[in-house]
Amino acid sequence: MTVAEGLKSAIRERVLDRREGLLALSRRIHAHPETAFTEHQAAAWCAETLREHGFAVTAPTHGLDTAFTATAGSGPVTVAIACEYDALPGLGHACGHNLIAAAGVGAALGLAPFADELGLTVRVLGTPAEERGAGKALLLEAGAFEGVDAAMMVHPCPFEVAEFRSFALGTLSVEYRGKAAHPSLNAHEGRNAADALTVAQVALGLLRQQLPPQWKVHGVTTGAGTAPNLIPDRATAEYEIRASAAEDLRELRERVEACFRAGALATGCEVSLTRPEPDYLDFRTDPGLIALWTANARALGRPEPQRKDAFACTDMGNVSHVVPSIHPVLDITGGSCGPHEPEFAEAAVSPEAERAILDGAIGMAWTAADFAAARRT
């Protein structure tokens, strides 16, 4: 069962009536980029817009200073709409999270007047730290998604995809501790922490020969000594590992950590391996929800969606393991540039981006309405 066309038209008009405010919200967030867990302005602007339109807002919430919850309606079916708004260090909104926030707010504003009629409770979640920090995983653990029947968001991209696939992602902070010494006077007394990291990197390079093609290991050295005439007693690195599924990620982590321990064993150093944030799980699209989205996207005249293998990671994947979820991506560049490129930050305030905000808002609102109607049958 889907919602009557007259009600969908009313939802659409509600969103379009707030067009200028939604586009202004997107541009404002874009002009003031804030990185993970520092998105105080963006969170406040989104929350205030919702509060002004009758939403009950709690901010901050669930232990995160830049998270918020906003609710409208009191129906038996609860749909959560996720708003991301963190920026990339040095690149600003080169992932287009300003669009995600504005589209999420727009969907909620479109639904709010009709929530009770639809049997809906609309819950908007301001979700910080998607780029680094796994904010949704933290919110999930804190109970922000309890009682939610469906969750959704949209994301800008260089192509159109309905059934989004993502890698599972794990992070690893590495620190070696050795013993400083002079490289000519008493080198034999030293324990070279930089050498330990070099051994580990060689081991990782050899390991890659035996890894499945969808398993990825990549990282950077963040410290390995300060002067050539001093054997370094400390070396540090940051690594990421990616696999097609959470189960594979666990095995990959064990094999990668063994390489770092080998570096310590070979050089007589000590190694500390820590996880700076929760793992990002692979995204699992709900087939019923995505069928509703696809029909609504076609009705809006969106491009026909492509099928893409996993190409990114998102903490929305963690949500999708617990709550039926969708994460469609909307083309704003036609392939000319992609996320995490400087040009994509410029594209995030283009006319194509502004169309994606409105289409994303209307499409999510229609999909939530259709979902609630289906639950009543």
Side-chain angles (χ1 to χ4, degrees), residues 20-46:
E20 291 308 316
L22 294 172
L23 300 186
L25 175 64
S26 171
R27 296 186 199 112
R28 194 177 189 188
I29 294 172
H30 185 276
H32 299 86
E34 300 164 298
T35 55
F37 299 117
T38 69
E39 317 95 324
H40 296 281
Q41 295 181 107
W45 294 330
C46 292

Side-chain angles (χ1 to χ4, degrees), residues 51-66:
R51 186 182 287 112
E52 289 172 355
H53 289 87
F55 280 73
V57 176
T58 302
T61 190
H62 294 91
L64 297 181
D65 287 345
T66 55

